[in-house]
Amino acid sequence: MSDTHDLTHAGFDTLAVHGAREDLASLGLHVPSIDLSSTSPLPDVESGGDSYENLATGGTLEEGHSAVYQRLWNPTVARMEEAVASLEGTEQAVSFGSGMAALSAVLLACVQEGKPNIVAVRPLYGGTDHVLATGMLGTKVTWATADEVGTSITDETGLIIVESPGNPTLELVDIADVVRQAGDVPVMVDNTFATPVLQRPLEFGATLVMHSATKYLGGHGDVLAGLIATNAEWAAKIRGVRALTGGILHPLSAYLIHRGLQTLPIRVRAQQAGAQVVAEWLTTQEGVEKVYYPGVEGDDQAGLLGRQMSGPGAIVAFDMGSYEEAANIANHTKLITHAVSLGGVDSLIQHPASLTHRPVAPGARPVPGVLRLSVGLEDPKDLIADLERAMQA
Ligand SMILES: *Cc1c(COP(=O)(O)O)cnc(C)c1O
């Protein structure tokens, strides 16, 4: 990419707006074009074959070479990946058709390397927990608390997986401490809830950063995508898996994620401010037994706020004490949509034990009174009024 301006010393918000767009003006463009080509002309048989070999084994497109085929390379997708890598501070990023496809590629890369054992710290997103528990991709999971990571590692451990904040109850995990225990074993942090606005796991020694870009990075509830931000070596491994297993991202989806990044910092901060107001209100409500939110007193036990994560984020979970009370709220909110997913501009509420975390083993599943609320950009007083009405219904 030929730079027309230099973002080397740009602040985070500037990078969010301009990242991987430096060459646009020189192309006579204001926004990236969407390249929908499923195939690309090959200049001649020999260089076409070379490009195929390079891309199918995880390489990146070389200057002047053909992209060959959309399952191997797409410029719109590659552009967005470059933007995400710059926000996470990693060498590269690799995108997928969903967060689960991204996770699957990493797990398959571990299996391929002969390191199929995965040490995973609960709580995790229900789908992550499920795919690890089934072992359907050839991995074997060892569940560990954050303190047990070091003693859970064997010669065949290929990866440590942690989520911070964890889904759905916002536990914060000390990433630097997990990395220290992990030694040579790479640590992957699911950064979906925090986003690079609030936390950049690479700074604490993580090797891989995972995103369900479906959530905050996209931010508008209209695109499914997954990302792994990592070093060049790991990126090549998982691009190789992606080329062969086909979990690619559509260029239109990549365009939407890249556009979403431009407002990511401002959305996350505004949603976080709303979440703080809603969380504090919840702590004053008699029917609410517990509020899970790192921004309320007593919830950030490890003192990681400000140190690892610059703010508490915009997801709030709360325990209504029973399935009936929780279900009653989810069934009666109006402004807040009863739906899975999170991180968009509009607020969503869901009951993890029945939905996202249904496949999780009973002992590790969230208690039946817990609801997870993703706070959007609405006026928090309207969200509070909606919750209050639903609580009384
Ligand atoms: C949604 C989610 C996933 C899965 O991502 P998809 O895009 O739905 O496949 C993984 N991790 C976390 C924390 C999530 O919230």
Side-chain angles (χ1 to χ4, degrees):
M1 195 177 283
S2 63
D3 290 7
T4 54
H5 53 264
D6 182 11
L7 294 177
T8 317
H9 302 292
F12 186 88
D13 291 22
T14 307
L15 271 183
V17 176
H18 292 281
R21 294 167 186 263
E22 298 95 309
D23 61 332
L24 292 182
S26 71
L27 298 170
L29 298 173
H30 183 58
V31 299
S33 28
I34 303 172
D35 186 337
L36 294 172
S37 308
S38 62
T39 192
S40 302
L42 304 166
D44 56 70
V45 172
E46 202 187 329
S47 83
D50 287 349
S51 301
Y52 178 84
E53 167 86 23
N54 171 41
L55 296 173
T57 54
T60 55
L61 184 66
E62 288 165 21
E63 184 114 14
H65 281 241
S66 170
V68 184
Y69 189 55
Q70 196 185 111
R71 176 153 49 71
L72 307 180
W73 193 265
N74 175 273
T76 313
V77 171
R79 186 185 276 285
M80 177 278 289
E81 292 170 341
E82 187 187 323
V84 171
S86 78
L87 295 182
E88 284 291 358
T90 56
E91 287 173 355
Q92 297 185 3
V94 185
S95 62
F96 295 85
S98 69
M100 291 309 292
L103 171 68
S104 299
V106 175
L107 297 180
L108 287 171
C110 294
V111 172
Q112 201 192 5
E113 303 250 295
K115 302 248 180 187
N117 290 9
I118 311 294
V119 174
V121 178
R122 278 168 162 160
L124 294 167
Y125 171 68
T128 303
D129 195 297
H130 199 185
V131 80
L132 289 171
T134 61
M136 63 164 62
L137 297 174
T139 55
K140 266 194 289 182
V141 68
T142 304
W143 302 112
T145 63
D147 295 334
E148 294 165 350
V149 167
T151 53
S152 306
I153 292 171
T154 69
D155 288 348
E156 296 213 321
T157 304
L159 188 72
I160 317 287
I161 299 183
V162 303
E163 216 171 277
S164 186
N167 187 346
T169 36
L170 291 306
E171 281 86 346
L172 303 189
V173 175
D174 189 331
I175 298 168
D177 185 58
V178 168
V179 167
R180 186 188 53 71
Q181 294 177 59
D184 293 340
V185 181
V187 173
M188 180 163 86
V189 177
D190 187 328
N191 207 29
T192 299
F193 273 34
T195 84
V197 178
L198 305 177
Q199 171 176 283
R200 286 176 292 281
L202 198 82
E203 292 170 5
F204 304 97
T207 302
L208 301 115
V209 182
M210 171 180 160
H211 278 281
S212 168
T214 312
K215 316 294 169 53
Y216 287 101
L217 304 195
H220 295 74
D222 54 6
V223 53
L224 220 70
L227 273 143
I228 304 291
T230 183
N231 58 35
E233 188 193 339
W234 263 95
K237 284 190 228 182
I238 57 177
R239 264 197 308 272
V241 174
R242 182 179 68 174
L244 295 187
T245 58
I248 57 158
L249 185 65
H250 191 271
L252 179 57
S253 298
Y255 177 90
L256 289 170
I257 299 292
H258 199 174
R259 184 171 72 164
L261 295 180
Q262 296 190 295
T263 54
L264 180 69
I266 196 171
R267 280 188 283 109
V268 168
R269 287 184 208 119
Q271 289 176 230
Q272 173 174 266
Q276 184 73 43
V277 174
V278 173
E280 275 166 21
W281 174 79
L282 283 167
T283 63
T284 66
Q285 298 307 295
E286 256 176 37
V288 178
E289 297 211 337
K290 182 170 168 58
V291 177
Y292 302 88
Y293 185 63
V296 299
E297 212 181 310
D299 199 55
D300 174 26
Q301 299 278 347
L304 290 166
L305 215 57
R307 186 148 66 86
Q308 171 174 292
M309 192 178 173
S310 65
I315 311 288
V316 181
F318 55 102
D319 184 358
M320 293 303 299
S322 71
Y323 169 84
E324 288 72 24
E325 291 294 329
N328 181 56
I329 293 178
N331 287 338
H332 288 95
T333 56
K334 290 201 167 96
L335 183 65
I336 303 168
T337 304
H338 177 207
V340 287
S341 201
L342 55 96
V345 292
D346 58 316
S347 297
L348 304 179
I349 197 164
Q350 67 108 8
H351 185 250
S354 325
L355 270 158
T356 49
H357 291 70
R358 196 184 185 104
V360 177
R365 202 183 292 154
V367 296
V370 166
L371 287 166
R372 187 189 73 192
L373 172 66
S374 170
V375 176
L377 285 173
E378 301 93 339
D379 188 328
K381 80 175 180 321
D382 295 326
L383 299 176
I384 288 171
D386 197 34
L387 287 170
E388 199 160 33
R389 199 176 327 109
M391 282 176 182
Q392 287 156 6

